Amino acid sequence: MSSIPQETVDSATPLGVDDSTKTLFREFAASLGYMHSVICRLLEASGDTEPLPTLVFRDFVPASARWYTMIAGPNPGVFQGLQNIPNRAVSNAVIGRHGSEEEARKIFNEALDNGAVRRISDGSTVVLTRADVYGA
């Protein structure tokens, strides 16, 4: 069973989460892990041998510290913090969340190399290259 670090639980207190709610959250997280293992065993017993994705619990990271890529939208790029993504509410923006700056930059650069990064503004779309983003 995975355990939530106490400092993560303690940091929820300013958000108005009381001790009984924290306990409920802990129990819910533990039950997710348990249910995943039960479902795997049931599928295996029924002859289904295709593996299920591994259940992963990530440490809590506030939105301001997470890494994001905007692959398509008015300002494609790599950003730390959701609040730092300009014009993120545009309906045709393609934004992804990543576990680290390194991962975000890797994904963004792969998208550049594949011709998938697009600046969309005022109804026009321009495919960007590394030179467009990083200079010559």
Side-chain angles (χ1 to χ4, degrees):
M1 176 183 355
S2 178
S3 175
I4 300 172
Q6 190 61 43
E7 61 272 11
T8 300
V9 174
D10 292 342
S11 69
T13 303
L15 301 174
V17 178
D18 61 24
D19 288 340
S20 64
T21 304
K22 289 183 213 175
T23 300
L24 181 65
F25 287 164
R26 282 179 173 276
E27 291 171 1
F28 181 69
S31 68
L32 286 175
Y34 175 73
M35 288 307 300
H36 184 269
S37 68
V38 168
I39 291 168
C40 287
R41 282 183 270 145
L42 288 171
L43 287 171
E44 186 178 298
S46 71
D48 188 332
T49 58
E50 189 172 332
L52 287 177
T54 303
L55 186 62
V56 176
F57 289 99
R58 296 184 182 184
D59 291 338
F60 174 76
V61 176
S64 61
R66 296 176 187 156
W67 286 92
Y68 299 87
T69 54
M70 179 183 281
I71 301 297
N75 301 92
V78 176
F79 306 91
Q80 183 178 29
L82 191 58
Q83 74 282 1
N84 292 322
I85 303 172
N87 302 312
R88 69 180 182 272
V90 175
S91 64
N92 55 1
V94 177
I95 298 171
R97 182 176 132 192
H98 308 284
S100 67
E101 178 181 12
E102 178 182 356
E103 179 186 344
R105 292 199 182 283
K106 179 180 181 265
I107 297 294
F108 185 76
N109 287 330
E110 286 174 0
L112 276 172
D113 294 341
N114 292 325
V117 177
R118 300 178 311 278
R119 177 175 290 125
I120 303 168
S121 108
D122 298 327
S124 67
T125 300
V126 176
V127 175
L128 299 181
T129 65
R130 281 183 183 254
D132 297 324
V133 174
Y134 300 120

